[in-house]
Amino acid sequence: MSHIQETTLPGSWTAEHLEPAQEFVAHWSRKLGATGQAVKVSANAVQFEMDLSAIRLHGVHNVACLALTGQREALTTTARDFWHRIDASERLVFFLCLTPQAYVAVQDAVPIKGALRLSPKQVENILHTDEPRRALIEQLRQQYALRQLVPFNCTQPVDPHMFFGRQAELDLLRYEPKTSFAIAGPGRLGKTSLGKQFHHLLAVGKDARTARKYRVDFYACEDHSSDAVARHLAINIDPSKRSDRVRTEDLNGFLKYQVYKHNGPLELLLDELDEVCHARAFEVLTQAARDGLCRLILCGRGKLFKAVTTENSPLKGRVEIIRLKPLEESEARGLLMEPLIDLGIELEQPEKLIEQVFHWTGRLPHLVQYYGKRLVAQAISTGTGKVTPKDIDLIRGEFETAQIFLEQLEGLSDEHTRRLALALIKDGRRYFTVPMVQEVADQHDLVMNYHEVLELCNQLVIDHVLAWGEEAFQLANYSLGYYARKMRWQERHGKIEPGPYDAVI
């Protein structure tokens, strides 16, 4: 018989009889549509973790929870020790008090802000309401500072609950296990996030590959020699003195040993490869992938893209390239709107607001997140808790917003690239085939053959001026033309007339 009834909470449990605690964790997780796993169970206290990724708030993908029952004296120390052990900067913390004494103990041990403290009545209300997840969100908004719950993130790979779209790309990674891929393209477009989401799905799905997956970041690999690259890889897979001695010629043998040790080929997600992808170690790795010792997922920017697409490169023909495009409308809508709704932000003319954000961001995920974050900050600073289309104009007029786009224009690699970028911006069209770009280039005395135009278009994608579309290139967003004209970029690079990038929808 279950110890968890529809109207009662477990009053206590002992170290010898932990079933009520375990049933409570299962019942609580099930009601919230979450996954929960007990980490430590003792008399009158159970520590567990929850994944509440259906909620679009900061820190919900790995919530640290402590459920307490019994008498007050011992519980104060238990709650205080738990609170001091948890890093609350990257995850939410829940204290579920199942008795009045436990609630008093938590109030004594835990600060008012920075954690969720639920009384027995509040726990029961969440368990018994028709919308338990919505009731939990209401409590979060009451007990946390709103800024602590903002999930928009413009600079780091996103957590699983803020990953939207890319289903076709995820399917390639999940269901073509013998194909190696390169996710190569512009920065901050979600390459690392895609790789991490793939690993997350393997773990959630209890895929056998989970035990053989490794993510190795080469950003910190300062020595770009082939032996250093091989050693960096080996140490991150199997930290040992033996790995510290691995050189390029040892890499194949090292991988064979790891395949034997793991009882199957390794899943290697290798990130930040631009400075090392030409090392001879990658010839060994691609051959090892062909021999079935590993499957490679390579992430990088322009240099990796060229290594994968250039003839006579060791990566050419050995890995398939995944080109990340702007999000679909439904995906970008979810990324922008679902967090705003869960944060309790009131939306005035939501459809017009969405249109304007899409217009200025081109549905590029990092820019959608930037606008989302600034909209929340605007709602908080005004004290209204509301955002309107006028707020988009305010954000667009901010110096920081202008700098994001002007830095992209100023960072263009050479004069030839700058001139073509300016020509495409001035043209005003959104979509371009290679012949169309060639025609625009000819009009501005930039004479290039088809191959040269294609190469330059791909470079402009890396530079965030263009984006890959389904059948053609497209202007990354209309913000580029707006700021180029607004900030008088034309004084140095040629006049830019008003165009579609000046439209306020």
Side-chain angles (χ1 to χ4, degrees):
M1 179 178 177
S2 173
H3 291 267
I4 306 294
Q5 305 299 324
E6 283 300 312
T7 58
T8 61
L9 300 174
S12 64
W13 56 81
T14 66
E16 292 77 28
H17 185 59
L18 303 175
E19 186 180 352
Q22 295 164 335
E23 287 195 4
F24 171 76
V25 171
H27 186 60
W28 172 262
S29 302
R30 186 166 55 250
K31 288 292 288 186
L32 290 167
T35 56
Q37 180 178 0
V39 176
K40 181 180 179 182
V41 186
S42 57
N44 294 331
V46 54
Q47 178 182 340
F48 63 103
E49 296 180 346
M50 291 185 67
D51 182 352
L52 282 161
S53 288
I55 296 174
R56 312 301 185 179
L57 297 174
H58 172 73
V60 296
H61 68 291
N62 186 23
V63 181
C65 303
L66 182 67
L68 294 167
T69 186
Q71 300 304 309
R72 174 181 174 184
E73 292 77 11
L75 298 181
T76 301
T77 300
T78 301
R80 184 179 293 116
D81 289 347
F82 176 75
W83 174 245
H84 289 161
R85 287 198 312 271
I86 297 298
D87 179 4
S89 63
E90 294 298 327
R91 61 199 304 201
L92 298 184
V93 183
F94 291 1
F95 289 89
L96 311 180
C97 306
L98 309 185
T99 60
Q101 297 92 336
Y103 188 56
V104 173
V106 169
Q107 286 181 307
D108 289 343
V110 180
I112 294 175
K113 292 291 185 180
L116 182 70
R117 308 181 304 175
L118 296 179
S119 68
K121 182 66 173 175
Q122 290 167 331
V123 173
E124 287 201 341
N125 286 344
I126 290 171
L127 288 174
H128 300 153
T129 184
D130 291 336
E131 296 187 28
R133 198 178 293 155
R134 188 55 47 191
L136 177 63
I137 290 173
E138 288 294 332
Q139 287 296 326
L140 286 170
R141 293 205 297 250
Q142 290 176 27
Q143 298 194 40
Y144 273 88
L146 197 60
R147 290 186 188 276
Q148 292 178 283
L149 298 176
V150 177
F152 294 114
N153 174 13
C154 316
T155 59
Q156 301 293 326
V158 299
D159 293 321
H161 69 294
M162 285 295 286
F163 188 92
F164 283 80
R166 311 294 193 207
Q167 191 58 53
E169 292 84 353
L170 285 170
D171 286 348
L172 286 175
L173 298 180
R174 293 181 74 184
Y175 304 126
E176 295 193 18
K178 293 188 177 181
T179 303
S180 291
F181 292 96
I183 311 169
R188 297 190 297 174
L189 202 60
K191 301 182 296 295
T192 301
S193 297
L194 176 63
K196 291 183 69 174
Q197 183 70 4
F198 164 61
H199 276 191
H200 171 72
L201 293 176
L202 289 184
V204 169
K206 296 181 172 56
D207 193 295
R209 290 175 288 177
T210 302
R212 308 193 301 268
K213 67 178 177 62
Y214 292 92
R215 176 179 177 269
V216 181
D217 189 336
F218 282 85
Y219 183 79
C221 184
E222 296 180 357
D223 185 345
H224 301 158
S225 67
S226 183
D227 286 346
V229 169
R231 185 164 57 251
H232 183 81
L233 177 67
I235 289 173
N236 279 272
I237 293 174
D238 185 7
S240 66
K241 291 182 178 179
R242 180 179 179 182
S243 296
D244 195 40
R245 296 192 296 269
V246 167
R247 295 176 296 176
T248 304
E249 57 264 33
D250 306 318
L251 195 51
N252 189 264
F254 170 83
L255 291 171
K256 286 181 177 179
Y257 172 73
Q258 294 299 322
V259 169
Y260 169 77
K261 181 179 175 181
H262 290 82
N263 197 32
L266 303 187
E267 283 279 338
L268 299 181
L269 171 59
L270 309 183
D271 205 357
E272 298 287 353
L273 294 183
D274 269 40
E275 300 305 320
V276 300
C277 60
H278 293 285
R280 193 166 59 86
F282 280 89
E283 295 184 40
V284 179
L285 282 173
T286 53
Q287 185 59 50
R290 293 190 68 173
D291 293 341
L293 301 179
C294 60
R295 199 272 283 261
L296 302 174
I297 300 173
L298 311 177
C299 299
R301 303 189 188 190
K303 292 181 182 178
L304 178 63
F305 179 82
K306 288 183 178 179
V308 173
T309 57
T310 301
E311 295 295 337
N312 302 321
S313 166
L315 297 180
K316 172 74 172 178
R318 300 292 183 94
V319 297
E320 291 188 13
I321 190 166
I322 292 179
R323 303 170 191 249
L324 295 186
K325 304 174 181 67
L327 295 177
E328 298 293 335
E329 286 195 16
S330 61
E331 300 162 354
R333 176 185 289 264
L335 176 59
L336 178 67
M337 299 299 283
E338 291 183 24
L340 292 177
I341 292 169
D342 283 351
L343 286 165
I345 304 296
E346 184 183 345
L347 307 173
E348 184 177 293
Q349 297 180 273
E351 291 304 317
K352 186 174 182 180
L353 188 147
I354 290 168
E355 280 188 71
Q356 288 203 26
V357 171
F358 288 3
H359 182 78
W360 298 117
T361 65
R363 303 197 306 273
L364 297 175
H366 65 293
L367 296 178
V368 173
Q369 293 226 38
Y370 173 79
Y371 266 85
K373 187 174 182 178
R374 294 298 303 128
L375 285 170
V376 176
Q378 187 72 10
I380 293 173
S381 65
T382 60
T384 62
K386 179 171 69 174
V387 295
T388 75
K390 290 183 179 179
D391 290 310
I392 300 296
D393 294 335
L394 292 173
I395 294 167
R396 185 162 47 92
E398 292 175 342
F399 177 79
E400 181 183 352
T401 308
Q403 289 305 112
I404 289 173
F405 295 96
L406 288 175
E407 285 173 3
Q408 291 173 195
L409 293 172
E410 295 293 349
L412 295 176
S413 54
D414 55 54
E415 185 62 28
H416 217 54
T417 308
R418 277 193 292 273
R419 288 179 63 194
L420 182 59
L422 181 62
L424 294 175
I425 290 170
K426 289 170 66 176
D427 183 84
R429 282 178 287 186
R430 188 63 185 270
Y431 298 95
F432 298 92
T433 62
V434 173
M436 289 166 63
V437 174
Q438 197 168 9
E439 179 184 323
V440 172
D442 289 343
Q443 293 170 359
H444 290 79
D445 299 321
L446 294 168
V447 180
M448 294 178 284
N449 61 37
Y450 184 95
H451 177 76
E452 290 170 331
V453 171
L454 176 59
E455 187 174 333
L456 209 49
C457 285
N458 282 323
Q459 182 58 50
L460 287 174
V461 172
I462 304 299
D463 292 330
H464 286 290
V465 174
L466 296 179
W468 287 308
E470 290 301 325
E471 298 180 356
F473 294 94
Q474 63 188 65
L475 200 65
N477 51 70
Y478 283 129
S479 290
L480 291 168
Y482 172 81
Y483 289 112
R485 193 173 72 84
K486 189 81 171 176
M487 305 303 283
R488 299 187 176 182
W489 200 61
Q490 69 270 26
E491 290 184 359
R492 287 167 289 161
H493 304 288
K495 187 174 182 180
I496 303 174
E497 300 293 342
Y501 35 76
D502 287 282
V504 177
I505 300 170

